[in-house]
Amino acid sequence: MTAPLIRPARPEDEGDLARLDRETWSHLFAVMPRPEPGEPFFRETCGPDAHLVAEHDGRPVGYIRLGHPTPLKSNEHVQQIRGLAVAEEARGRGVGRALVRAAVAEARRRGARRITLRVLGHNTPARALYASEGFVVEGVLPEELHLDGAYVDDVLMGRPLV
């Protein structure tokens, strides 16, 4: 697989991204219930402008979602990675890394001073990817979530952009 094209999401990506979300869903990283067929991917608070898409051979193979961690004016200077998914056939080929790098660049473009994320403690592949891209653990909420019959840590990671 050649390097994916990373581009802003478009409204017409709705169906492909909804399918990707359903196909990649797992308790390894998801805190929300499995998306249902026909459930919209874009929402009023999280539309195409909040997403970057990895495209290969004209087809979305991944996405990353960016947004503010809270609606507070006092932390407008922070962008947060609020979701990342890579199609099974594209994993291990640099797609996730390209999306994280693109999200960091986009956060800078938006004027952010910091970028943060939350990742489940047992998601070691994602934690390793984020650490390799300069994110550090800034806090751990032990057993914060109960998923698939087990208590799971919520790990807070971040990095400066200036």
Side-chain angles (χ1 to χ4, degrees), residues 31 69-70 75 78-82 114-123 126-127 130-131 134-145 152-159:
V31 296
T70 73
N75 90 325
V78 179
Q79 285 283 296
Q80 185 176 56
I81 293 174
R82 305 187 65 139
R114 287 178 37 78
I115 187 167
T116 63
L117 59 90
R118 297 169 75 164
V119 61
L120 297 176
H122 61 233
N123 191 346
R127 290 179 64 182
Y130 297 135
F135 288 81
V136 297
V137 173
E138 297 180 335
V140 176
L141 302 174
E143 298 186 353
E144 183 72 4
L145 302 160
V152 181
D153 295 349
D154 190 7
V155 179
L156 313 175
M157 299 181 80
R159 65 170 276 190

Side-chain angles (χ1 to χ4, degrees), residues 8-93:
R10 302 182 290 247
E12 57 268 23
D13 292 323
E14 172 87 30
D16 287 333
L17 295 179
R19 176 192 45 76
L20 182 64
D21 221 25
R22 284 190 308 277
E23 290 174 359
T24 60
W25 186 92
S26 163
H27 273 302
L28 181 62
F29 64 84
V31 296
M32 301 296 287
R34 180 185 302 274
E36 296 294 326
E39 189 175 323
F41 180 80
F42 296 128
R43 294 178 174 27
E44 184 178 323
T45 58
C46 194
D49 60 330
H51 297 83
L52 297 172
V53 173
E55 186 177 282
H56 181 57
D57 289 339
R59 188 174 69 82
V61 294
Y63 74 82
I64 196 162
R65 180 180 298 129
L66 272 175
H68 292 289
T70 73
L72 300 172
K73 185 151 183 66
S74 58
N75 90 325
E76 281 183 338
H77 63 285
V78 179
Q79 285 283 296
Q80 185 176 56
I81 293 174
R82 305 187 65 139
L84 170 67
V86 175
E88 185 68 39
E89 71 273 11
R91 290 186 187 160
R93 298 177 181 209

Side-chain angles (χ1 to χ4, degrees), residues 96-119:
R97 183 173 307 282
L99 284 165
V100 170
R101 288 179 178 174
V104 167
E106 177 62 14
R108 277 194 183 106
R109 189 192 70 73
R110 293 179 183 184
R113 295 179 51 83
R114 287 178 37 78
I115 187 167
T116 63
L117 59 90
R118 297 169 75 164
V119 61

